Amino acid sequence: MRQHLTCLLATSMLAAGGIVSGCASTAKGVQATAFAAGPETPLSQTAPTGTALAVVRYPAFIEADAEEAFAAAYAGQAIGGGQIEADPVETKALANSVVLKSNYFAMSLYRELTARLPEHSVLLSPHRIVKAADGTLTSEPMTQAETLPSVVAVDFTAYTYPDMERMMGDKPLTFGDLVTPVVTVRTDPRTSVGTEGVLLASSPVIAAAAGGNYAQAITDATALQAGRLETGVPELDIISHLSGTPRLAPETSPLRGRPAAATVRSYPIEKIRLNGEAIATVAADKADVLEAPFTDAFANQIVRLINRTDATKAAMLRRADVIADYDEGLAALTLVGSHDPAYRARLRYAERLLEAEQKYLSVQSLRLYDGIVNGEMGAQVRDMLQEEHRILERRRKLARQQNTAVALGVLSAVVAGAAIANDGSGREDCRRAQTRGQYYDCIDRNNRRSRADRGNQIATTAAIQGAIFSATEAMRRNSMSRSIGENYLQSVVPVLNAQTEVQVDLIDSSETITAIRLEDLKDKLGALYAENQRSLDTVATRCAYSGSVGPGTWMGSCANGLADGPGVGVFRNRAGNLVEHYGHARAGRADGPGYRIVRAPEGSYSIEGNFSGGAANGVARVERSGSVALRRFNNGRDMGAAPDGSVNASPFRMGDRAG
Amino acid sequence: MKRFLTICAALLLPVTAAAQDRAQPRLALDAEQTEQCVTMMAGFPDETPEARYVFFRLSQELAKDVTPELSRLMAAFMAQNETRRLPADWPMIDVVEDIADPVLRQAAPSQTVASMAHIAYFDAMCGRFVQGQVDSLRAFDPVLADNDLVIREDALYLRQILAEALDRLGGGDKRATQIYTASLIVERDDIEYVGFEDEVDELEALYMGDLDTKLARSNDAVNEGVDVNGYKDAVALANDMDDQARKRAEQERLYSLVRILGGRG
């Protein structure tokens, strides 16, 4: 009976050990990213002058008053699922670690892109996580890189699941030799309208990225309607995800293969396993350990996306916004351009100013890169990578030992069970012997059996003890593994805080110096510009524009108080949706080639073609989520698919208009 | 002497290039035309590379935007005024001085037209030779190209004289003249833009250099303030805690082994 109880205890302990520690995972990762590796993709895109090709954005700092909200959102909207009840101090430390690693690994992407793209065409935009006026979590750029137009913006976060206890499992992790990138590649919401400008994103943040870009597009269009030519900067997509920004669900395509039209490329969450040997020497050689397994292929993908993006549409509104700083009369005309020689001469001057700003700001990006990668902060992060890798390796070893202990425990329990099943049977009743000789033989047989049973008993007890020991050993290994992780995290909390302060000092002092000089430079450029201009025959102003139901606003060329010539009109349609019309107008109505964007709550769509009397007429290219098609329009009514070989008019092709 | 030989070598280069070009039938000049080009080029100043460069470039700039239609118009005015084509060996410096001469400008606009037509004719026929000379001189001394903007400004001034002359001769309403006049506006815009761009380039270089220096200093200052031992101390602390935990675990292992074995009795 006692033996049965002991076996039961051993099995229970083993089960408990199994539940608590389980078959421990060894925090595996993929050796190479899902992005297709291969030779460098050549750039075939030519961006308008003064337009950057890519801006790399990343979380760089959490403001003190946003720390609580960020930690709560970080735990509440964990990528990887599950309810987190982690220690708030630990969550904050992990949040700081995310920020620190994002800072460092974003430099890998910057480096790769600068190597592939022309000089001055890649900028860095670190973001500060703050509480907005309404108390919600948001992020804002710490430098002026995003005041300039760009073809794409790439959000990069090195993500870690907000529960240290789960780090050895399958949850996303950025620690030691593991990096989990959460990325987005976006363009301006005035292009790729069907996906709200989102070109590619990590699958958990697609909806938030689309929602964030849509919200920004509405804000910009509302400003236009109020007669202000200004463009805002969308918050980081990871923050949109955490803060619960209203979601939109554009159609998606898998990462590999030919994407369907007007869809977002969906990038699955993957833990990238860095080369352990490279990490072992990273402190000395400063090698980019993320390049081979991830950044190289990702940068290629970005260049492919840049090549496929309509750079003119991507840059037009922000470009006009910057030009307005120097020449308000010219700004709105630049949206679709003009044949007027005076306009073209003037535009050339304005573009040169944009280019000067771009070059100037690129110096700041280069120095930020230098400060982070080649400075003490980079050195400490590299030390950190090495130490974390060592910790991870120790935990992996403990996990393997734990698994061996569990296996041994299971084996011992099975052996004990089998022994118990065979125990205590076969003793004879010698009283039934009829002769003395039979009686002594019987006693002798029973004695031999007893000796054998004692041997079995000893073996069974040993198996049970082995099972118990294995179970306790498995639990102990698991506990040691956890304590290694916790000890490390607790010890480095002050260091993480100190390092984030260092990077803030680095960025803030850089921005202070840059901003003062930039203001001065802009003043000087503005003065030079003013000295060298001849007058424009037509200047952009604000006037009336007829929408479908009510009056709208036109920013551009006007005559007699009505839209007339190139520019942009904004109005609300019958459904109450905001509509932006980039193109030409006559007597207050859209007339000639135009590009119309309708911001519907279920998702935006665009119509690009010829307009007359305010409505689409003729062949137009219609883009909405998941589809791009040429359609025939008659006085604004969709008459069906356009015949094969049809070509739509575009306000962005100079040959498509007379004016 | 060395300098002289270098100049000679530089100037001979385009001749070789032109000889190679002549092998191409479409662009080939006949012997008479080649002879004429050599004669006309001999009329360019040759005292210094600077003077030679200036006049070659000037001839290029003066012939700019002269369309076949405008050439015909100029020829017509020359015929009406019985102005003969200038002789091939007429020194280029004299041709240019004639265009700029205020008396001739007022009294004989047809002479201005004839002088400009002479240059346009020369450029149309001998343009490749001239370009070769220009390239060689630039290769010999890249600083020569610094004069380009001034040369373009001077050429624009002389081209405006041609437009005035055509107008005075009654060709102002001709399409060819109007296109030529419009091209002068574009040229003026271009020249002004080059000046503007030069100033922006200077500002840009000044501000970018200054910013780079200041940011480098700022990075150094921030880095100097970093506690380089902080992380090492934290790791040492974590390791101590791990060691203690490991020792505790070993002790526990021993105790549990004793307990398990003791439980047998």
Side-chain angles (χ1 to χ4, degrees):
Chain A
M1 184 63 186
R2 185 167 173 252
Q3 284 163 339
H4 283 276
L5 283 172
T6 318
C7 182
L8 193 66
L9 178 67
T11 317
S12 307
M13 282 187 73
L14 205 61
I19 290 165
V20 172
S21 54
C23 260
S25 170
T26 49
K28 291 175 186 146
V30 294
Q31 302 283 344
T33 175
F35 293 112
E40 281 189 15
T41 307
L43 178 75
S44 57
Q45 178 69 269
T46 311
T49 310
T51 302
L53 286 170
V55 176
V56 178
R57 309 172 353 136
Y58 55 94
F61 179 59
I62 310 168
E63 281 287 352
D65 67 345
E67 276 185 352
E68 295 289 334
F70 181 76
Y74 176 52
Q77 296 282 345
I79 292 174
Q83 194 59 39
I84 317 294
E85 286 179 13
D87 171 17
V89 177
E90 185 184 292
T91 311
K92 270 190 200 172
L94 285 172
N96 273 337
S97 149
V98 164
V99 166
L100 189 68
K101 296 286 181 62
S102 300
N103 258 279
Y104 184 77
F105 285 121
M107 298 305 125
S108 168
L109 186 56
Y110 173 76
R111 203 178 75 117
E112 280 303 305
L113 288 173
T114 48
R116 282 168 166 76
L117 302 175
E119 201 180 8
H120 309 300
S121 64
V122 186
L123 301 174
L124 280 174
S125 180
H127 272 233
R128 188 192 306 270
I129 298 162
V130 295
K131 255 184 164 176
D134 62 359
T136 55
L137 206 60
T138 187
S139 77
E140 54 189 36
M142 296 172 80
T143 68
Q144 297 187 57
E146 290 181 81
T147 57
L148 292 178
S150 66
V151 179
V152 299
V154 185
D155 282 18
F156 180 91
T157 307
Y159 186 79
T160 285
Y161 191 76
D163 185 354
M164 197 66 183
E165 287 193 11
R166 315 278 281 274
M167 72 181 280
M168 295 304 286
D170 59 353
K171 297 295 183 194
L173 179 70
T174 299
F175 191 89
D177 60 357
L178 293 172
V179 178
T180 304
V182 172
V183 298
T184 317
V185 184
R186 277 185 304 101
T187 183
D188 187 271
R190 266 62 61 172
T191 184
S192 295
V193 167
T195 62
E196 310 298 343
V198 183
L199 305 174
L200 176 150
S202 293
S203 40
V205 299
I206 291 174
N213 240 21
Y214 175 85
Q216 189 57 58
I218 293 285
T219 308
D220 295 345
T222 308
L224 273 177
Q225 198 179 21
R228 297 192 312 274
L229 198 59
E230 55 187 39
T231 47
V233 177
E235 63 188 7
L236 290 171
D237 293 323
I238 188 77
I239 302 300
S240 295
H241 169 79
L242 295 179
S243 66
T245 298
R247 268 58 168 162
L248 273 176
E251 296 282 334
T252 58
S253 282
L255 198 58
R256 293 293 180 95
R258 197 176 168 77
T263 54
V264 182
R265 287 273 184 146
S266 175
Y267 169 52
I269 290 293
E270 56 181 6
K271 261 192 292 192
I272 308 286
R273 180 98 179 246
L274 309 177
N275 184 319
E277 286 171 15
I279 289 186
T281 57
V282 72
D285 60 21
K286 295 185 185 177
D288 181 357
V289 287
L290 192 59
E291 182 192 344
F294 175 74
T295 323
D296 194 27
F298 183 44
N300 259 355
Q301 178 72 52
I302 293 170
V303 175
R304 281 196 285 276
L305 290 170
I306 290 172
N307 286 343
R308 283 203 292 269
T309 302
D310 186 332
T312 307
K313 285 179 194 162
M316 64 177 175
L317 195 59
R318 194 172 297 280
R319 200 157 163 264
D321 182 2
V322 184
I323 288 175
D325 289 347
Y326 298 105
D327 191 342
E328 274 199 298
L330 181 77
L333 298 179
T334 65
L335 292 166
V336 294
S338 163
H339 283 300
D340 179 3
Y343 159 82
R344 292 170 77 169
R346 206 154 167 150
L347 176 67
R348 187 157 61 147
Y349 284 79
E351 283 182 330
R352 184 65 188 86
L353 304 187
L354 260 64
E355 195 183 11
E357 279 193 44
Q358 184 193 340
K359 285 182 180 174
Y360 179 82
L361 289 175
S362 77
V363 173
Q364 183 186 27
S365 292
L366 276 168
R367 277 293 168 199
L368 275 179
Y369 170 85
D370 177 50
I372 291 169
V373 174
N374 299 325
E376 283 301 332
M377 189 196 136
Q380 289 210 0
V381 173
R382 285 187 288 274
D383 287 347
M384 195 177 268
L385 285 179
Q386 285 187 325
E387 182 58 25
E388 286 177 358
H389 181 229
R390 198 179 62 80
I391 288 169
L392 215 47
E393 286 294 297
R394 283 176 66 193
R395 293 194 67 177
R396 283 180 181 131
K397 191 176 166 191
L398 284 167
R400 283 192 288 272
Q401 288 172 345
Q402 181 187 335
N403 291 342
T404 309
V406 170
L408 279 174
V410 170
L411 188 66
S412 303
V414 169
V415 169
I420 287 164
N422 292 326
D423 181 38
S425 58
R427 282 178 80 87
E428 292 177 43
D429 187 356
C430 295
R431 286 173 300 181
R432 290 181 185 170
Q434 291 175 356
T435 65
R436 183 176 293 267
Q438 282 174 341
Y439 177 78
Y440 285 125
D441 284 348
C442 173
I443 292 291
D444 196 36
R445 280 197 301 275
N446 276 350
N447 281 343
R448 277 204 301 273
R449 281 197 186 100
S450 291
R451 280 197 297 275
D453 283 348
R454 271 200 297 280
N456 274 346
Q457 261 181 18
I458 292 166
T460 306
T461 309
I464 291 166
Q465 285 167 339
I468 295 169
F469 184 72
S470 297
T472 51
E473 194 60 13
M475 284 190 284
R476 204 169 10 250
R477 299 278 169 194
N478 180 266
S479 159
M480 269 180 71
S481 171
R482 282 209 324 254
S483 79
I484 287 173
E486 283 163 11
N487 290 344
Y488 174 76
L489 200 64
Q490 280 171 17
S491 309
V492 298
V493 165
V495 183
L496 286 174
N497 288 336
Q499 287 204 349
T500 46
E501 276 169 27
V502 169
Q503 74 206 16
V504 169
D505 285 351
L506 207 66
I507 299 168
D508 277 352
S509 62
S510 160
E511 178 54 17
T512 308
I513 294 166
T514 308
I516 292 170
R517 304 293 289 162
L518 179 63
E519 204 177 319
D520 198 26
L521 174 66
K522 283 180 85 163
D523 284 348
K524 288 203 164 57
L525 289 173
L528 255 182
Y529 181 79
E531 279 168 22
N532 284 280
Q533 286 318 304
R534 60 188 167 105
S535 64
L536 266 179
D537 296 333
T538 307
V539 292
T541 51
R542 179 187 172 184
C543 57
Y545 176 67
S546 298
S548 50
V549 284
T553 303
W554 183 260
M555 304 274 288
S557 179
C558 300
N560 304 318
L562 293 172
D564 205 288
V568 56
V570 185
F571 61 94
R572 285 198 181 271
N573 64 11
R574 284 188 175 81
N577 301 325
L578 268 175
V579 179
E580 298 156 60
H581 185 94
Y582 299 88
H584 297 261
R586 185 179 296 170
R589 289 184 178 276
D591 193 282
Y595 177 55
R596 181 166 286 190
I597 303 170
V598 181
R599 302 285 176 195
E602 64 277 12
S604 307
Y605 62 92
S606 67
I607 302 169
E608 186 173 5
N610 198 57
F611 286 76
S612 59
N617 256 317
V619 175
R621 180 185 183 273
V622 179
E623 178 180 336
R624 58 179 78 241
S625 178
S627 106
V628 175
L630 284 177
R631 312 284 297 176
R632 275 184 309 118
F633 283 84
N634 185 3
N635 199 23
R637 283 182 54 204
D638 188 341
M639 308 300 285
D644 286 346
S646 300
V647 178
N648 65 308
S650 168
F652 307 105
R653 283 195 298 265
M654 291 298 268
D656 284 8
R657 60 170 187 271
Chain B
M1 183 63 185
K2 189 181 171 190
R3 185 176 161 83
F4 174 75
L5 287 174
T6 319
I7 296 171
C8 290
L11 298 182
L12 279 172
L13 270 174
V15 177
T16 319
Q20 284 168 352
D21 286 350
R22 265 185 236 126
Q24 297 170 4
R26 197 168 62 85
L27 300 171
L29 298 177
D30 58 30
E32 191 187 340
Q33 285 172 317
T34 307
E35 182 60 36
Q36 207 172 354
C37 284
V38 172
T39 309
M40 290 175 93
M41 285 166 72
F44 277 71
D46 59 357
E47 311 85 58
T48 60
E50 287 80 5
R52 206 162 171 76
Y53 180 80
V54 165
F55 275 87
F56 279 129
R57 284 287 294 117
L58 196 60
S59 72
Q60 286 181 320
E61 290 296 326
L62 287 172
K64 230 190 221 176
D65 299 317
V66 176
T67 59
E69 200 183 351
L70 186 73
S71 288
R72 282 195 294 277
L73 183 69
M74 288 198 286
F77 284 125
M78 284 152 62
Q80 280 167 17
N81 293 281
E82 296 174 347
T83 309
R84 60 178 175 77
R85 187 177 294 283
L86 297 174
D89 59 352
W90 199 266
M92 186 52 73
I93 195 162
D94 291 349
V95 180
V96 172
E97 277 176 3
D98 281 355
I99 300 168
D101 188 320
V103 179
L104 282 176
R105 270 170 69 183
Q106 293 299 320
S110 59
Q111 184 57 49
T112 303
V113 171
S115 298
M116 284 296 277
H118 175 78
I119 294 170
Y121 170 75
F122 166 68
D123 186 75
M125 185 168 64
C126 314
R128 283 182 302 132
F129 294 98
V130 173
Q131 188 57 51
Q133 292 283 337
V134 167
D135 291 344
S136 302
L137 285 161
R138 273 188 191 150
F140 163 68
D141 185 1
V143 175
L144 291 173
D146 292 352
N147 297 319
D148 276 6
L149 190 63
V150 179
I151 295 169
R152 283 180 72 182
E153 281 172 346
D154 289 348
L156 179 63
Y157 170 69
L158 297 174
R159 288 172 63 191
Q160 280 166 339
I161 293 174
L162 170 65
E164 276 172 28
L166 288 170
D167 192 44
R168 294 185 63 207
L169 289 167
D173 56 348
K174 303 284 185 202
R175 189 169 166 272
T177 311
Q178 285 168 348
I179 291 172
Y180 188 70
T181 309
S183 76
L184 297 182
I185 296 170
V186 173
E187 179 67 4
R188 194 185 64 214
D189 284 345
D190 279 349
I191 290 170
E192 283 174 0
Y193 181 75
V194 171
F196 168 79
E197 198 168 37
D198 284 348
E199 288 189 74
V200 173
D201 285 348
E202 273 176 33
L203 264 182
E204 208 173 65
L206 180 71
Y207 275 75
M208 283 168 72
D210 181 56
L211 179 69
D212 193 46
T213 312
K214 283 195 163 69
L215 292 181
R217 273 193 219 133
S218 160
N219 282 353
D220 290 345
V222 172
N223 279 320
E224 276 168 19
V226 175
D227 174 12
V228 288
N229 294 319
Y231 183 69
K232 284 176 189 150
D233 294 346
V235 169
L237 177 66
N239 286 342
D240 284 351
M241 288 158 81
D242 288 347
D243 282 345
Q244 283 172 12
R246 190 167 46 78
K247 280 176 190 159
R248 236 185 354 259
E250 275 167 12
Q251 276 181 341
E252 278 171 14
R253 182 185 296 128
L254 199 61
Y255 291 148
S256 59
L257 200 59
V258 168
R259 273 202 305 271
I260 290 164
L261 293 174
R264 179 181 176 271

